[in-house]
Amino acid sequence: MAEPVIEIKGLGKSFKSKNGPVVALRDINLTVEKGDIFGIIGMSGAGKSTLVRCINLLERPTEGAVIFDGQDMCRLSSAELNRARRSMGMIFQQFNLLMQRSAEANVRFPMEISGVPHAKAKRRARELLELVGLGERAHYYPSQLSGGQKQRVAIARALSTEPKVLLCDEATSALDPSTTASILNLLRDINRRLGVTVVIITHEMSVIEQICNRVAIISESRIAECGTVEEVFSNPRTDAARRLVLPEGRRAGHIKADRLYRIVFNGSSSLNPVIADMILECKAPVNIIHADMRDMDGKAFGQMVVQLPEDQEICARMLGFMEARGLAMWEIPPGSCIDCDPEDYDYEQERGRHA
Amino acid sequence: MPDFLAGLCDPDTLQMLAEGTLDTLYMTLASTFFAYVFGMIMAVVLVVCRADGIRPCPGLYKVLDVVVNLTRSFPFLILMIAVIPLTRFLVGTTIGNNATVVPLVIAAAPFVARLIESSLLEVDHGIVEAAQSMGASTFQIIFRVLIPEALPSLINGSAIASTTILGYSAMSGAVGGGGLGKLAIMYGYNRYQTDIMFATCVLLILIVQILQEIGNRLSRRCDKRLV
Ligand SMILES: Nc1ncnc2c1ncn2[C@@H]1O[C@H](COP(=O)(O)OP(=O)(O)OP(=O)(O)O)[C@@H](O)[C@H]1O
Ligand SMILES: [Mg+2]
């Protein structure tokens, strides 16, 4: 049984401002389990940064509790809090390296403040820089490193006190796509090899797709949805989730036609050409009206809308074929909107109809 | 050499100018040192206690802020006379180099505090937060993050501070202070000896240039953002 590392219970945070209090988080409940790569995604201003900063108390919650490793963070004395923070690394969008210290001295910094002897700290800093692929650059200063390299130094620094958890606030948002991919790979590697639980804040769906196993969608200061990435992506239940999973620009709009069926892909192997097989098997073409698919770890998620042939018998064979492969195929009532317009399409209702 | 400078060739005059220069340097550097001791303490308290600081303490901040502004609003000459009783108590006399250091420190410390405060505030808040996220205590943040990260800017500030204090020290020549200021007032002003006036001016300009240049170079050399 997985054990929880971070439990957030009824957490609320409001800021005082000149125009009265600003509520940034309301009633957040989340559990991050050991070994998770937990993604928190949401639009700008949703409260993601505030949430992650409440985890290590850079921001003090105004309500609720954050339980880390069995202790309520809000009740710790400042010395105890500092000790707890040493088991939680954090990396930032802007890297936040000490500009007057070399890469190695940056990695040594957390060890210096927690009293690790110099020689040992130096050795470990070297090892960590090797781990993040910067062994050669130990004596470089941050001003001599690229963004991706700076983030690697920041990761090495965050790992130097052997934390249980690594908190990442938009850690890849200042980087280009290929650098982002390499940093994400590094994070996954660290998660697998060192067993460090990772919490990732992002506004990019692709980041979640690439490395997270669980995801929470935060919208307007609340958790809209939370679950495994598969669950949330294949079956977004809330508007906020749908807006992220089925981004604008991919809407099919309204098409009035008969014999429209929706096929939902729920993690079946994307390498398996089901639709092509069905066409070959039933010897009749189908009209693909709309497809919105994502590939994650070789599995297909998403949905497709197809128009089946007029022939009732072929139709029935096709439905049988899909059913045999465990794929749900639902008829869309003629004249209704097929798509995926997150604003006016009600999944719950349709699921109800077919239940 | 122009005629009016011929008097400077006299060995006694030269020695007097040399001693004046040393006195001025002594007063300037000693005052700068003590002004930094007090100024640093005040600046750190100001930075740490401000509303968005690492240990907000609005009461203490406000009090210190007002004290610093009050002291800074005294013209130096008046301050010097006003603190005469304190000077006598601390040094035993009110004339000479050491006696000048007391008002110089009192006048310069708040100014230095503002300089240091602005240098420390230049340190990116994100870096301070990163240190907090690693479990750094307030003291560790001050001594291992704020001050080292602000070092180039602090050195630049110290060049500004020492040249300003040099200016104050020359002013103190009017009310019992020593050094080049005293020479300029005694000989140049009271006795119309243009040569001495001229020589003290040149020496003061030179000292300012040298202090400023040392500051600039040190600051640039230690700034790792420029490597
Ligand atoms: N220190 C603060 N004082 C007042 N309001 C704040 C403060 N910090 C955040 N907020 C408010 O809280 C809300 C959430 O902010 P937060 O920074 O957590 O958003 P975010 O999801 O991280 O957005 P982004 O993707 O743009 O970084 C915003 O409405 C913001 O204005
Ligand atoms: Mg943010």
Side-chain angles (χ1 to χ4, degrees), chain A residues 76-101:
Chain A
L76 300 180
S77 69
S78 68
E80 288 167 330
L81 176 62
N82 283 341
R83 225 169 301 130
R85 281 174 171 170
R86 285 170 198 162
S87 352
M88 272 192 203
M90 185 164 187
I91 58 175
F92 304 83
Q93 178 172 1
Q94 296 308 329
F95 322 122
N96 293 341
L97 296 178
L98 294 147
M99 298 305 285
Q100 305 294 344
R101 282 176 164 241

Side-chain angles (χ1 to χ4, degrees), chain B residues 139-150:
Chain B
F139 264 85
Q140 286 169 328
I141 291 176
I142 294 166
F143 291 105
R144 290 173 188 258
V145 179
L146 288 178
I147 295 176
E149 285 294 301

Side-chain angles (χ1 to χ4, degrees), chain A residues 15 22 24 43-50 170:
Chain A
F15 292 100
V22 177
M43 303 284 178
S44 185
K48 307 179 293 290
S49 299
T50 309
E170 303 272 9

Side-chain angles (χ1 to χ4, degrees), chain B residues 72-151:
Chain B
R72 285 201 58 200
S73 51
F74 267 91
F76 178 64
L77 216 53
I78 295 173
L79 182 93
M80 223 176 139
I81 298 164
V83 299
I84 280 178
L86 179 68
T87 309
R88 184 173 289 121
F89 172 75
L90 286 175
V91 192
T93 171
T94 61
I95 50 168
N97 296 335
N98 288 335
T100 313
V101 170
V102 176
L104 274 179
V105 171
I106 294 174
F111 167 66
V112 166
R114 285 290 184 226
L115 274 177
I116 300 178
E117 183 191 20
S118 81
S119 294
L120 297 181
L121 288 177
E122 277 168 31
V123 175
D124 186 351
H125 193 63
I127 296 180
V128 174
E129 283 197 333
Q132 285 177 315
S133 78
M134 295 168 206
S137 66
T138 305
F139 264 85
Q140 286 169 328
I141 291 176
I142 294 166
F143 291 105
R144 290 173 188 258
V145 179
L146 288 178
I147 295 176
E149 285 294 301
L151 195 59

